[in-house]
């Protein structure tokens, strides 16, 4: 099998497997009311305070309208709270509740385990090669999404 076909097969399968396995790993009994998309919105909000809807939508590369739909669901499920700015009532700030922080930490732990599993298989010399490869892949995805 040539390098192109091998790399293509690995990338396609890996992307699909990561999405499916992540959902199985992070949507536990405690977080069964969340979807994978919900968990990524929670990740984009993060544990720090002072995030407004526009900055979160930008991180996720979605519209504020789409984020509002997801946010309504997360507020109803008690993972997120919303408040309006005192200075500008048009600005809406969101923050994770205690339940949301637990979900965030659970998701972060899954990512930590995944990263540590990869690093454990690599020598010190191989790590920069993987980082360069993943950076190139990330650059491709960012460039491709900007074309759309």
């Amino acid at each position: 099998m040539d390098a192109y076909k091998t790399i293509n097969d690995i990338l396609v399968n890996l992307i699909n497997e990561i999405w499916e396995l992540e959902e199985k790993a992070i949507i536990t009994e405690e977080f069964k009311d969340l979807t994978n998309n919900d968990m990524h919105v929670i990740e984009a909000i993060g544990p720090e305070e002072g995030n407004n809807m526009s900055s979160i939508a930008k991180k996720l590369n979605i519209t504020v309208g789409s984020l509002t739909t997801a946010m309504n669901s997360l507020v109803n499920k008690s993972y997120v709270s919303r408040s309006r700015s005192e200075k500008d009532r048009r600005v809406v700030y969101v923050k994770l509740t205690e339940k949301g922080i637990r979900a965030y930490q659970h998701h972060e732990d899954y990512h930590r385990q995944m990263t540590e599993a990869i690093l454990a298989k690599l020598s010190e010399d191989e790590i920069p090669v993987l980082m360069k490869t993943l950076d190139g892949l990330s650059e491709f995805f960012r460039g491709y999404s900007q074309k759309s």
Side-chain angles (χ1 to χ4, degrees), residues 70-132:
M71 207 59 73
N72 289 340
S73 173
L74 290 170
V75 168
N76 289 337
K77 295 174 187 177
S78 301
Y79 287 95
V80 174
S81 65
R82 272 189 284 226
S83 62
R84 291 208 178 265
S85 168
E86 296 295 322
K87 293 178 183 173
D88 184 347
R89 303 293 291 162
R90 296 171 297 176
V91 177
V92 177
Y93 292 106
V94 294
K95 71 177 193 173
L96 298 178
T97 62
E98 284 185 32
K99 185 178 179 182
I101 290 171
R102 283 195 314 275
Y104 174 87
Q105 290 168 338
H106 177 66
H107 188 222
E108 187 176 69
D109 187 55
Y110 171 77
H111 284 198
R112 182 190 51 74
Q113 289 176 38
M114 179 177 58
T115 303
E116 286 176 357
I118 293 166
L119 291 173
K121 300 268 185 192
L122 300 174
S123 71
E124 288 295 318
D125 292 338
E126 292 170 322
I127 293 171
V129 175
L130 178 61
M131 290 172 57
K132 182 177 180 180

